[in-house]
């Protein structure tokens, strides 16, 4: 496959390295500094104590990447709009576009509704056809440890599915390609529910890590903070119930999964550390927008959003 990667950071870099190692024609669209590092050193993936170096083609613009069979998008959610023209320029009618982003995507409430908190001007809806999107929920923990080096701490599951639900041959084929390249892909028949379930865990832990600068283990060890987490999760459970994404698990069970990450600095904490913008809209504003649509009161979610938003504005990394 000819694979275009936009955003070869922690997650996009992991996928790029594995697909390139698996023999695919991987082309990374990189900005100047990262492009320079990747051209000089190749892309290194550190996983399970082993280092793998690959040399995908590094491109400065979408024309150089050319039309792709598959486009992996690994930018942060707030940067999606800025890369939409490049994605569109790399697409053929049969290209699959796989955003590997946390949070709620613009298309989550259906083909004809675009969530304004993540797609304020409808640009994503217009430029990225719903029919060409394959959703992917990333259960992993990774970090860019050097400009051209990705360290994968956990690579648990890449859950892929059709935005409209159901099984499809094209997702099955993609899953096969990923698995052959050593990536833990699986097909979901209800990927919206999987997106909501992932969000259910990290819509709290990520903002709280950004607010407190604490690693996941310390957050989950604090009984008072756990109380707030549980309240937000119960509100999100109710939203999920009303939009066809019910959650059966207990908050304790879900947090036990996050607990396995240990002393991990969430991707949002990594952004705070580096004074980069944070993904608050996809993680908190979009669930609030959906809650308003379906009439669920979200007092705890509102407090978490308000506090993190204020912190982000004060630090110049949000708004
Ligand atoms: N890290 C993790 O453990 C996990 C992350 N996620 C999610 O995955 C998504 C990606 O996060 P993550 O990999 O951590 O992010 P990173 O910050 O590590 O990487 C983002 C990449 O996007 C690139 N980028 C941004 N804008 C552009 C642009 N205009 N053109 C080309 N490249 C661009 C950055 O380039 P540059 O090098 O120039 O800065 C960087 O390489 C997020 O939604 C995150 O929440 C999900 C699960 C776990
Ligand atoms: C915390 C983690 C790894 C899982 O909830 C995550 O998704 C992130 O860091 O963004």
């Amino acid at each position: 496959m000819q694979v275009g990667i936009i955003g070869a950071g922690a997650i996009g870099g992991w996928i790029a390295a594995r697909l390139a190692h698996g023999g695919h024609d991987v082309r990374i669209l990189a900005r100047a500094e990262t492009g320079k590092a990747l051209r000089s050193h190749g892309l290194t993936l550190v996983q399970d104590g082993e280092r793998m170096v690959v040399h995908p083609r590094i491109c400065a613009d979408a024309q150089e990447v050319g039309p792709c069979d598959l486009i992996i998008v690994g930018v942060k959610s707030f940067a999606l709009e800025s890369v939409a023209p490049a994605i569109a320029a790399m697409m053929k009618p049969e290209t699959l576009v796989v955003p590997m982003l946390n949070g709620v995507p613009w298309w989550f409430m259906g083909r004809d509704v675009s969530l304004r908190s993540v797609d304020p001007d409808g640009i994503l809806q217009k430029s990225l056809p719903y029919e060409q999107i394959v959703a992917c929920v990333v259960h992993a923990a990774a970090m860019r440890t050097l400009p051209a080096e990705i360290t994968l701490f956990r690579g648990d599951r890449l859950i892929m599915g059709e935005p409209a639900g159901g099984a499809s041959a094209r997702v099955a084929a993609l899953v096969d390609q990923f698995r052959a390249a050593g990536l833990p892909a699986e097909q979901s028949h209800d990927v919206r529910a999987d997106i909501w379930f992932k969000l259910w865990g990290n819509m709290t832990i990520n903002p709280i890590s950004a607010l407190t600068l604490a690693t996941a283990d310390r957050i989950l060890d604090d009984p008072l903070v756990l109380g707030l987490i549980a309240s937000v999760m119960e509100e999100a459970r109710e939203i999920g119930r009303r939009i066809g994404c019910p959650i059966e698990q207990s908050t304790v069970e879900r947090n036990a999964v996050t607990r396995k990450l240990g002393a991990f600095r969430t991707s949002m904490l990594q952004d705070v550390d580096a004074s980069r913008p944070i993904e608050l809209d996809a993680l908190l504003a979009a669930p609030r927008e959906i809650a308003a649509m379906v009439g669920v009161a979200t007092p705890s979610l509102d407090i978490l959003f308000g506090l993190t938003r204020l912190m982000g504005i004060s630090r110049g990394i949000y708004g």
Side-chain angles (χ1 to χ4, degrees):
M1 284 188 293
Q2 183 164 322
V3 185
I5 309 272
I6 303 190
I11 300 301
W14 166 39
I15 307 298
R18 281 282 159 211
L19 291 179
H21 190 251
H24 295 282
D25 176 1
V26 173
R27 298 169 182 206
I28 296 178
L29 174 58
R31 297 192 288 195
E33 284 300 303
T34 299
K36 201 168 140 195
L38 289 168
R39 280 188 199 93
S40 311
H41 309 290
L43 171 63
T44 300
L45 175 68
V46 182
Q47 181 175 358
D48 302 328
E50 286 181 13
R51 299 174 71 80
M52 182 177 94
V53 185
V54 292
H55 296 274
R57 188 160 145 190
I58 311 303
C59 306
D61 57 43
Q63 282 64 39
E64 197 183 340
V65 177
C68 298
D69 304 308
L70 172 68
I71 300 174
I72 301 291
V73 189
V75 300
K76 289 274 162 56
S77 51
F78 51 79
L80 203 46
E81 191 180 292
S82 71
V83 299
I87 301 173
M90 288 155 53
M91 282 171 79
K92 305 181 276 188
E94 64 278 17
T95 302
L96 298 182
V97 179
V98 185
M100 296 208 157
L101 276 54
N102 268 331
V104 181
W106 73 97
W107 51 261
F108 196 70
M109 297 304 283
R111 187 186 187 293
D112 301 318
V113 184
S114 198
L115 291 170
R116 288 306 178 224
S117 42
V118 284
D119 188 20
D121 302 312
I123 289 172
L124 300 178
Q125 187 186 30
K126 268 182 237 130
S127 48
L128 307 179
Y130 183 78
E131 292 70 21
Q132 288 182 253
I133 303 287
V134 169
C136 182
V137 187
V138 180
H139 286 277
M143 195 166 166
R144 188 154 57 158
T145 31
L146 286 171
E149 178 189 278
I150 308 301
T151 299
L152 183 73
F153 301 104
R154 294 186 70 94
D156 295 332
R157 299 172 77 192
L158 295 170
I159 308 174
M160 297 180 161
E162 295 289 346
S168 79
R170 65 181 194 170
V171 174
L174 194 56
V175 164
D176 286 347
Q177 304 259 35
F178 267 54
R179 294 191 74 82
L183 290 161
E186 59 190 271
Q187 176 160 202
S188 166
H189 297 186
D190 188 2
V191 80
R192 284 179 71 256
D194 294 302
I195 291 173
W196 198 256
F197 186 71
K198 164 88 202 260
L199 180 78
W200 198 51
N202 75 345
M203 70 192 293
T204 51
I205 203 91
N206 285 22
I208 291 173
S209 69
L211 275 175
T212 61
L213 310 182
T215 47
D217 55 342
R218 289 179 55 213
I219 293 168
L220 294 172
D221 279 347
D222 188 312
L224 297 182
V225 178
L226 266 185
L228 173 65
I229 290 178
S231 306
V232 176
M233 290 174 84
E234 288 309 335
E235 291 168 8
R237 186 201 297 279
E238 181 55 21
I239 304 168
R241 194 180 67 77
R242 297 201 193 184
I243 60 170
C245 300
I247 292 170
E248 306 302 335
Q249 287 81 351
S250 69
T251 58
V252 173
E253 282 165 334
R254 180 67 183 90
N255 290 333
V257 176
T258 310
R259 194 73 182 74
K260 289 190 190 149
L261 297 174
F264 183 66
R265 300 183 87 74
T266 70
S267 59
M268 197 178 281
L269 179 52
Q270 293 173 36
D271 288 333
V272 172
D273 288 340
S275 295
R276 292 188 301 241
I278 50 174
E279 293 182 296
L280 267 197
D281 290 334
L283 266 71
L284 294 182
R288 288 182 76 242
E289 185 180 348
I290 298 173
M293 284 175 179
V294 296
V296 175
T298 55
S300 300
L301 176 49
D302 295 352
I303 292 170
L304 182 58
F305 181 55
L307 289 174
T308 323
R309 179 173 65 178
L310 206 50
M311 177 281 294
I313 294 168
S314 303
R315 284 179 178 260
I317 56 173
Y318 179 74

